[in-house]
């Protein structure tokens, strides 16, 4: 059976919402009958994207809005996480493993590397002052 | 639902992590450990991952940060009971080049003696 469904939510930029975002996506994707490994991959990627929006997009301030949109098209899970924060000046640099613009906050610089490793597609759209949108796709093979 | 508990054996602090280690929990753990490091009561730290099913890059940042902090005073950091999934996260980040892993908490404690 072909599956088409979607949802979007907006939540504020507090760290408690990282776990909330992971739970929501996990619940949404269960209809694809994913393996535990696939669930873990998606949870990690979502956690990284939402954490980036909070820490980098909104500089750890709690009054920002983060939008998460998810779609299922057949066995492809599409996830978009967007913020209207500070944006990224050099996306290529930001995506280098171990690079971080916030070493003083003990960021490991592995966020984008994990998103890239655990999802099948990753696209980052950003401009300074306008915010960032992270688009990811994961194909669920057990479906 | 604190997400972790801690115990002190001599000058070694053991962090029993539970369930999910993310940016939110990492911030709370960091504060508790740093208070103890700053007042001089601990030297070494063991992060025990028994039962932990999830960790993201924020957990890596927190552990590496504690490593840098205790190393300054000659202390050590070790991790124990790492499941396959978290093992991959650690490996990808290069953590094992600086922090050793042990199959059990007991072996980690033994290594710090």
């Amino acid at each position: 059976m072909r599956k088409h469904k979607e949802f979007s939510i907006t939540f504020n930029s507090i760290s408690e919402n990282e776990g909330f975002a992971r739970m929501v996506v996990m619940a949404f994707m269960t209809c694809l009958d994913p393996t535990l490994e696939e669930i873990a991959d998606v949870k990690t990627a979502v956690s990284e994207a939402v954490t980036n929006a909070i820490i980098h997009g909104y500089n750890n301030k709690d009054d920002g809005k983060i939008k998460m949109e998810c779609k299922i098209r057949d066995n492809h899970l599409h996830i978009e996480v967007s913020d209207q924060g500070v944006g990224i000046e050099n996306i290529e640099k930001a995506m280098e493993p171990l690079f971080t613009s916030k070493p003083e906050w003990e960021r490991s610089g592995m966020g984008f590397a994990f998103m890239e490793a655990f999802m099948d597609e990753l696209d980052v759209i950003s401009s300074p002052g306008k915010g960032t949108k992270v688009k990811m796709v994961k194909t669920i093979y057990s479906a | 639902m604190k997400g972790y508990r801690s115990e002190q054996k001599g000058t070694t602090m053991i962090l029993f992590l539970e369930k999910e280690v993310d940016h939110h929990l990492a911030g709370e753990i960091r504060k508790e450990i740093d208070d103890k490091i700053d007042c001089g009561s601990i030297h070494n730290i063991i992060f025990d991952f028994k039962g932990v099913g999830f960790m993201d890059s924020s957990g890596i940042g927190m552990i590496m940060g504690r490593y840098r902090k205790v190393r300054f005073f000659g202390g050590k950091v070790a991790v124990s009971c790492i499941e396959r999934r978290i093992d991959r996260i650690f490996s990808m980040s290069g953590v094992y080049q600086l922090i050793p892993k042990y199959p059990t908490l007991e072996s980690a404690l033994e290594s710090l003696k």
Side-chain angles (χ1 to χ4, degrees):
Chain A
M1 201 180 81
R2 294 171 73 82
K3 290 192 177 80
H4 274 215
K5 60 175 201 169
E6 55 193 69
F7 79 89
S8 79
I9 49 170
T10 303
F11 47 87
N12 67 327
S13 53
I14 57 171
S15 60
E16 283 97 326
N17 279 333
E18 294 152 9
F20 171 70
R22 293 196 298 272
M23 291 291 290
V24 171
V25 174
M26 191 168 74
F28 181 69
M29 71 186 288
T30 50
C31 67
L32 293 173
D33 195 21
T35 61
L36 289 176
E37 190 73 20
E38 286 166 338
I39 292 173
D41 288 349
V42 171
K43 277 174 73 177
T44 307
V46 166
S47 201
E48 299 298 351
V50 172
T51 303
N52 272 355
I54 295 173
I55 290 181
H56 298 285
Y58 295 119
N59 263 310
N60 238 348
K61 295 196 181 77
D62 60 8
D63 56 353
K65 296 273 181 268
I66 298 167
K67 188 175 184 187
M68 185 167 75
E69 297 170 83
C70 296
K71 280 190 296 193
I72 286 171
R73 293 288 181 266
D74 301 319
N75 64 334
H76 307 291
L77 172 66
H78 298 253
I79 301 171
E80 292 185 16
V81 176
S82 42
D83 64 64
Q84 285 113 46
V86 298
I88 304 169
E89 258 177 54
N90 186 339
I91 297 177
E92 211 177 310
K93 186 85 192 154
M95 292 181 75
E96 277 175 21
L98 301 175
F99 171 80
T100 181
S101 59
K102 296 229 185 305
E104 71 279 17
W105 288 0
E106 297 185 345
R107 306 308 308 164
S108 64
M110 290 301 288
F112 280 127
F114 288 163
M115 288 183 239
E116 211 156 26
F118 297 136
M119 300 296 275
D120 297 312
E121 287 173 38
L122 171 66
D123 196 9
V124 183
I125 302 148
S126 186
S127 48
K130 289 188 180 156
T132 300
K133 180 183 269 193
V134 172
K135 297 166 80 168
M136 304 182 280
V137 184
K138 177 90 171 167
T139 303
I140 306 298
Y141 290 100
S142 56
Chain B
M1 283 289 286
K2 201 176 166 196
Y4 71 97
R5 59 192 178 83
S6 62
E7 201 180 296
Q8 203 168 329
K9 282 198 174 163
T11 57
T12 298
M13 186 177 191
I14 306 163
L15 267 293
F16 296 94
L17 305 171
E18 296 161 10
K19 294 176 188 150
E20 311 216 315
V21 185
D22 64 2
H23 162 235
H24 179 61
L25 188 67
E28 294 180 14
I29 297 172
R30 175 182 295 124
K31 193 181 174 314
E32 178 161 343
I33 299 178
D34 285 2
D35 284 349
K36 292 217 166 115
I37 296 176
D38 293 342
C39 75
S41 70
I42 61 164
H43 199 60
N44 304 315
I45 306 167
I46 298 172
F47 293 95
D48 187 77
F49 279 79
K50 194 173 185 182
V52 176
F54 177 86
M55 183 179 67
D56 65 15
S57 70
S58 301
I60 300 283
M62 182 272 290
I63 290 171
M64 291 305 296
R66 304 291 70 61
Y67 166 80
R68 287 189 202 101
K69 208 163 161 132
V70 297
R71 193 185 55 168
F72 190 73
F73 304 102
K76 289 178 185 167
V77 173
V79 294
S80 59
C81 296
I82 311 292
E83 284 173 32
R84 194 177 58 89
R85 172 83 198 175
I86 295 184
D87 194 48
R88 191 173 164 206
I89 299 262
F90 272 133
S91 298
M92 284 172 70
S93 318
V95 168
Y96 294 141
Q97 290 166 26
L98 301 167
I99 296 174
K101 66 169 166 175
Y102 295 91
T104 62
L105 175 61
E106 290 68 31
S107 50
L109 273 166
E110 191 61 33
S111 77
L112 294 176
K113 273 183 184 166

